[in-house]
Each structure stands twice: as C-alpha cells, then as structure tokens.
Amino acid sequence: MPLFPLFFFEKVTPTPLKKVTLLHHTELAKFLGLGSLTPHELQSWLNGESRIPGDQRISTRYAGHQFGVWAGQLGDGRAISLGELITHKMGRQEIQVKGLGMTPFSRRGDGKAVLRSSLREYLCAEAMDALGIPTTRSLALMMGEGAVEREEIEFEATTTRVFPTQIRFGHFEMAFHFGKKSELQALVEYTRSQFFDGASIEEMLHAVMDKTARMIALWQSVGFCHGVMNTDNLSILGLTLDYGPFGFMEDFNPHHICNHSDREGRYAYSEQPRVGMWNLERLFVCFSDLVTRERLIALLETYPARFQTHLLGAYRKKLGLQEERPEDLGLIESLLEMLAESKFDYTFFFRSLSRYQAGRLESLAGFRDHYPESLESSSFLARWLTRYQERLILEGSVDSKRSAQMLGVNPKFVLRNPLAQEIIASTSAGKTEALSAWYQVLRSPFQEHPEVETWAGPLPPNLKNRILSCSS
Ligand code: AMP
Ligand code: MG
C-alpha cells in the first residue's frame, strides 16, 4: 500500500553518499525486524544502493506557514521514505532517510545534509525518547566523503528516522490552500483510519490538539526549545519532528531563543505553548469545509486548559508531588519566577532538588558548591524552598520516597549544545567512541554516569548557552 494518498507523494531516485560509512545504528534495527541484515546490507539499503522486497522510494508534498507567514509548497526537499515495516514490537513504522539528494521538492536546496546537523538530530531524537517525550526515533547515522557547501565545506551525511507517519500540519495545508478538496478528503480519511483508530474527524482533531499540548508541555518541562515551530514541522501525531537549531535550556531564561535566525523570538522558550495553539489554528482552518466554524473554535479554545493540565502534571512529577492541590499552580509559577531571577542551570537545578530533604538545606550542599549564595536565607531559592516544604508537609511527603521518584524524572543529562559540538568534532575526525558512549548515556539520562559528571552542568561560562544557525 502507498504511504500516502496519491497526490501527496512522488517517486524519487536517491543519490547515495560517496564511500559511505555507517557511523552508528540503534537497537531499532532489531525491533524493526532488520536484524537479519548485516551492517553492510543495512548500510547499502539506507544509502539507496540496494533494495529490499516491498520497499518504496518517495518524497512527499506539503506546504506550511514559516515564521508566521504562508510559505506555499515546501515538501520533502531532502528526505526519502524507503517504505514501511509492520513489526511485532513497534507496529507500523516508516523508514525515512534525510540527506539522500535532490527530490522534486528540493526547490533551491541540494538535498544534502551535513554531519553536524544529522548527528544532532540522530542523538537528540533518541535522547528525547529516553526522556519520555513523543518524538520521531533514529535508526542510523551515516557519513560520506562527498563535500557539501554550507558556511564552510562539510562532509555529507544522512540520518534515518523512524515514525508511524510523518504527516505534518503542512500536508493538510497543502491540499486546502491549493483548493484540492478531494485530495484533502482522502488525506483526512487516510489519517483518521490509519493513525487514529477510525475516530471521527472531530475526535481526531481533539486528539491532535491534546497530543500537541502534551508534547509542548513536556518540552517546557525539560527546558527544550525546538527553534523552528513552523506548521511544516508539526507532526499530526504530536511527535517532536525536524530537529534543527534546537537547544536545551542551560541558565534558565524564559525568553531564551535557540535559533539565531529567529530575530524576533517568535519561537522563544516561553512562546512555544502559544505557537502550538497558533499552529493548531492553521491546521483547523483546513477542516473548515468538514466541521462547522463554531465547533472548530470551541475545540481550539480548550487548548490552553489542556496545555496547563499537562504542564502541571509534568511539574508535579518533577517536584515529587503525589497529590493534586489547587495551590500547585502558584507553587510552580513561583518556581519558574525564582529560576528566572536566579538563572540556575535548569537541568542541574531539578536534579539537585531531587536530593532535597525537606527543611535541611545541607542536603543541597552540592548545589551550593556551584551557586555559593543561592541558599542564604534571603535568597529567592531559600524563600521558595520554604513554600515547597509547606506543600510537602501537606501531603506527608517522605524524603527518601520522593527522592527516588524525582531522580527517575529529572534527568541528569540532556544533549546540551556544547556537548553535541564535542561529539560532532570527534566524529568528524573519524572517531566514533564518543558518539557510542554518549548514545548510551543519553538513552539512560536518569542514571548517574559519574565518568561524564562535568556535563551534568552547570557548564563553565565559555561553553554555556550557545545558539546555532539554521544552516543544516
Ligand atoms: P527545515 O527547516 O529543515 O524544516 O526545512 C524547511 C524546508 O526546506 C523543507 O521543505 C525541507 O525539505 C527544505 N530543505 C531544507 N534543507 C534542504 C536542502 N539542503 N535541500 C533541499 N531542501 C531542503
Ligand atoms: Mg522541516
């Protein structure tokens, strides 16, 4: 069966990487039933050099709003789907390689990807999955000897992604805004029947809204900034999709912008929830011939509450709170204000708080080593801890139990940009040890890994808070 209704894809011919090397592949090879292929066979299939029975080679047609502006047709300019696999462990999964050359949707691009951006996407998707955040997964990272021109000349590379479907908000926008009514209908039917258990259109839209709200709430809870939340980068399944200039928050700043092309901060950390709703509105517009305007508006208006429920749930877990109480919203808001004032390293703060023993500031001695004045009695943190402690007492929280639970939700390691850069540097130099080692760490981010303690943060000032360009 084709991966999409007809209008939405074109058959393509991949351009294999030259003298390709398989730098790394994940355990998904096994789960996807590709375990019987040798690494060389896997490499040659993913590089477009060989075929396996039933595979397909297609790129899809989508449109989108980029930075708030209608951008017209975009499409998979450098991504080629090799088809789908039906598996015992993971159900239906599509395999898509990014960087195998030009497609009918490449516009002015070269269809290539460089190692830097491929490795970032490859590792971050796997890291996000390990953090429990819905995302596309990664199968393989490959590098070739061909040169790719960006700000500098770089080596060509590909990352292979895996997902039940890549359908984006932009696929619906493509049909709707180009007046393709029957094609839109076909896409809606296909999406509903294949990926939403045959739900009605309204039920499906409700689910998309809820999944989007949940995904963004979880991003906020780990300090993740996506950087390019254009409608063509939003998955209908609420999966984190298209990792570009993303960043994990280091020193907490709600207005942090991770993408330096985003001059106005449209996609700043604090804007992400609102952008989620704006994007949903762009999606819902495409359903205006299928659902009444009143129903669409009513549905959209439930987004803020859904988002807040997911966000509260995520922060309650981060704070080790078992019960839901009305004062929790205030406690969490004051926590975020305190963090913004204090500019603590976001990940390190929550990891440290996971060892807090109520009323005993000495349990935060490791935190004080990095932030010497943070616990003085007049500090924002000390004042917030008093409030937290009162809340803990209300539910009779037991330190040891809470701590164990919090250490399982507050990661010690996230893919900080400077860390990604280190891994990229050594991998470009032909050494894959760091890549393999960090893959393991990022797949178990709640474990201690004392051998790489320094990367748990906070990082020294010369490394912190780097932002990245879009050039990928
Ligand atoms: P992105 O910012 O990566 O989400 O890409 C936005 C659009 O540009 C998508 O339609 C991509 O397929 C396309 N694109 C990005 N980079 C390239 C490239 N090197 N060659 C062709 N198309 C590209
Ligand atoms: Mg994209």
Side-chain angles (χ1 to χ4, degrees), residues 62 66 74-79 98 102 105-113 150 168 228 230 232-233 242 244 470 472:
Y62 57 80
Q66 299 186 318
L74 303 162
D76 292 321
R78 53 174 171 169
K98 193 168 168 182
M102 305 254 276
F105 308 104
S106 297
R107 296 173 293 149
R108 265 169 277 157
D110 56 7
K112 297 280 183 185
R150 295 290 182 260
R168 300 155 189 256
V228 204
N230 295 333
D232 51 296
N233 289 338
D242 275 9
C470 245
S472 57

Side-chain angles (χ1 to χ4, degrees), residues 398-437:
V398 178
D399 287 339
S400 57
K401 218 171 127 197
R402 184 181 68 252
S403 177
Q405 188 239 317
M406 286 170 74
L407 288 167
V409 292
N410 292 310
K412 182 162 177 180
F413 298 99
V414 293
L415 184 59
R416 296 163 183 271
N417 277 337
L419 168 60
Q421 257 149 309
E422 284 238 340
I423 306 168
I424 290 163
S426 69
T427 310
S428 317
K431 291 184 278 212
T432 55
E433 292 81 2
L435 172 62
S436 303

Side-chain angles (χ1 to χ4, degrees), residues 220 225 227 229 254-258 262 264-273 275:
Q220 301 304 102
C225 296
M229 288 175 72
H255 309 297
H256 178 64
I257 305 167
C258 64
D262 182 11
E264 284 163 24
R266 180 179 172 84
Y267 299 140
Y269 172 79
S270 56
E271 294 297 315
Q272 297 188 128
V275 173

Side-chain angles (χ1 to χ4, degrees), residues 81 92-96 135-137 161-168 237 239 241:
S81 278
R92 169 184 177 163
Q93 296 287 335
E94 186 178 327
I95 314 294
Q96 187 193 53
T135 174
T136 60
R137 297 286 309 270
R161 312 192 276 200
V162 177
F163 35 67
T165 177
Q166 71 144 322
I167 297 178
R168 300 155 189 256
L237 297 184
L239 304 175
L241 172 68

Side-chain angles (χ1 to χ4, degrees), residues 86-204:
I86 311 290
T87 71
H88 285 304
K89 276 228 161 74
M90 300 180 69
R92 169 184 177 163
Q93 296 287 335
E94 186 178 327
I95 314 294
Q96 187 193 53
V97 191
K98 193 168 168 182
L100 278 186
M102 305 254 276
T103 77
F105 308 104
S106 297
R107 296 173 293 149
R108 265 169 277 157
D110 56 7
K112 297 280 183 185
V114 295
L115 180 66
R116 176 171 49 84
S117 61
S118 304
L119 186 146
R120 281 167 52 82
E121 172 151 18
Y122 178 80
L123 272 186
C124 195
E126 289 294 283
M128 293 286 266
D129 177 68
L131 294 171
I133 301 178
T135 174
T136 60
R137 297 286 309 270
S138 303
L139 172 61
L141 179 68
M142 315 213 285
M143 185 171 150
E145 293 192 354
V148 180
E149 208 179 318
R150 295 290 182 260
E151 280 145 30
E152 296 166 11
I153 302 289
E154 298 184 50
F155 282 119
E156 59 182 358
T158 61
T159 179
T160 301
R161 312 192 276 200
V162 177
F163 35 67
T165 177
Q166 71 144 322
I167 297 178
R168 300 155 189 256
F169 289 13
H171 284 106
F172 295 89
E173 292 184 285
M174 178 72 221
F176 180 76
H177 292 290
F178 287 89
K180 303 281 180 189
K181 290 198 177 191
S182 61
E183 290 79 359
L184 178 64
Q185 190 92 37
L187 181 65
V188 171
E189 285 310 306
Y190 173 74
T191 310
R192 217 167 57 75
S193 62
Q194 300 296 312
F195 305 106
F196 289 86
D197 293 329
S200 72
I201 295 178
E202 279 190 52
E203 285 166 348
M204 175 176 83

Side-chain angles (χ1 to χ4, degrees), residues 151-319:
E151 280 145 30
E152 296 166 11
I153 302 289
E154 298 184 50
F155 282 119
E156 59 182 358
T158 61
T159 179
T160 301
R161 312 192 276 200
V162 177
F163 35 67
T165 177
Q166 71 144 322
I167 297 178
R168 300 155 189 256
F169 289 13
H171 284 106
F172 295 89
E173 292 184 285
M174 178 72 221
F176 180 76
H177 292 290
F178 287 89
K180 303 281 180 189
K181 290 198 177 191
S182 61
E183 290 79 359
L184 178 64
Q185 190 92 37
L187 181 65
V188 171
E189 285 310 306
Y190 173 74
T191 310
R192 217 167 57 75
S193 62
Q194 300 296 312
F195 305 106
F196 289 86
D197 293 329
S200 72
I201 295 178
E202 279 190 52
E203 285 166 348
M204 175 176 83
L205 291 180
H206 185 277
V208 174
M209 187 267 298
D210 190 56
K211 285 173 193 289
T212 306
R214 177 168 183 265
M215 170 185 78
I216 298 173
L218 294 176
W219 290 355
Q220 301 304 102
S221 77
V222 295
F224 176 80
C225 296
H226 181 282
V228 204
M229 288 175 72
N230 295 333
T231 55
D232 51 296
N233 289 338
L234 261 85
S235 134
I236 200 78
L237 297 184
L239 304 175
T240 312
L241 172 68
D242 275 9
Y243 292 83
F246 67 82
F248 281 91
M249 189 80 79
E250 295 184 66
D251 296 350
F252 186 71
N253 165 17
H255 309 297
H256 178 64
I257 305 167
C258 64
N259 174 359
H260 85 176
S261 315
D262 182 11
R263 303 217 187 276
E264 284 163 24
R266 180 179 172 84
Y267 299 140
Y269 172 79
S270 56
E271 294 297 315
Q272 297 188 128
R274 216 192 326 235
V275 173
M277 182 155 162
W278 192 91
N279 286 348
L280 283 163
E281 196 176 334
R282 302 284 77 67
L283 175 69
F284 285 13
V285 163
C286 305
F287 286 77
S288 52
D289 293 334
L290 303 170
V291 180
T292 65
R293 186 180 154 80
E294 291 68 36
R295 301 286 295 172
L296 289 172
I297 291 173
L299 185 53
L300 193 63
E301 282 174 350
T302 62
Y303 171 88
R306 287 310 301 151
F307 173 77
Q308 191 173 77
T309 302
H310 288 300
L311 191 75
L312 280 174
Y315 275 105
R316 277 198 191 96
K317 283 195 193 146
K318 289 181 84 66
L319 296 178

